[in-house]
Amino acid sequence: MKVSLVVNGSPREVDLPPLSRLLDALRGPLGLTGTKEGCAEGECGACTVLLDGDPVNACLVAIGQCEGRRVTTVEGLACAGHLSPLQRCFVEEGGAQCGICTPGMLLSAEALLARSPDPSELEVREALAGNLCRCTGYQRIVESVRAAAALRRGGGGAAP
C-alpha cells in the first residue's frame, strides 16, 4: 500500500503493508534513524514522534493510519543543520545521556512546549511520564525542558 504523508515538513511516500509500524517506515525506507526502538510494546517512549503535533509511540502506529498526516521526528526539530533551542538545552543542561530515550523525550517536550510555553515542574514531569530513562534521575531532563521554555520566552534559564 502506498501511503503519502508529510515527514518533517516534506511530502513523502512509502510503499509498505498497511499494518507495518510507523517506526519501521521511519527507520527503513525513510532513513530516519533518530527514532529509537526500545521495548516494541509502547511502554518506554523511546520511539515517540509527533503525529499531527501529538506525541505517539511509533511502534504502536500502523503506517496505514498515517495517510495524509504530519509526522515530526527528532531530525525535524533541528533547523538548517543547527540544533533547536530545546535540543541545545538538553546538551547544555545534561538532559541527554546515552541517547536511547533522548529523541522521545525531546518530542514529548516539544509537544508540551507547543501547548504550554511556561510549564511547571509538575507539568513537565507529567508530559514526560511515558518516556523512560535508565541513565538519569530525570531532574536534568526536567531542567532542560524548563530552560528551553525560558529561552523560548526570552529568558535566560529555567523558572524556579
Side-chain angles (χ1 to χ4, degrees):
M1 169 181 185
K2 289 191 180 198
V3 176
S4 297
L5 63 161
V6 176
V7 180
N8 297 330
S10 298
R12 302 294 297 266
E13 185 175 88
V14 293
D15 189 3
L16 291 168
L19 293 180
S20 296
R21 302 179 309 167
L22 173 58
L23 176 63
D24 297 324
L26 293 171
R27 291 185 59 82
L30 294 173
L32 298 168
T33 58
T35 304
K36 306 301 182 205
E37 180 167 8
C39 66
E41 296 177 354
E43 296 291 330
C44 72
C47 66
T48 301
V49 298
L50 302 182
L51 185 60
D52 294 332
D54 295 320
V56 298
N57 293 319
C59 70
L60 298 180
V61 176
I63 191 66
Q65 295 176 295
C66 297
E67 176 65 37
R69 301 190 66 191
R70 292 176 299 109
V71 176
T72 304
T73 69
V74 69
E75 291 92 344
L77 294 180
C79 182
H82 298 285
L83 295 178
S84 72
L86 177 61
Q87 290 171 311
R88 276 198 327 271
C89 285
F90 262 67
V91 172
E92 293 167 4
E93 300 290 329
Q97 296 291 313
C98 80
I100 297 298
C101 74
T102 304
M105 291 280 187
L106 286 165
L107 273 298
S108 291
E110 183 67 28
L112 169 66
L113 295 177
R115 70 178 181 273
S116 178
D118 188 14
S120 68
E121 180 174 340
L122 180 60
E123 288 173 305
V124 173
R125 288 182 181 280
E126 287 175 352
L128 300 179
N131 299 84
L132 302 180
C133 176
R134 293 182 176 180
C135 298
T136 72
Y138 295 94
Q139 190 58 38
R140 296 259 176 150
I141 295 169
V142 171
E143 290 168 2
S144 299
V145 175
R146 298 202 65 218
L151 188 62
R152 287 181 176 193
R153 291 189 319 275

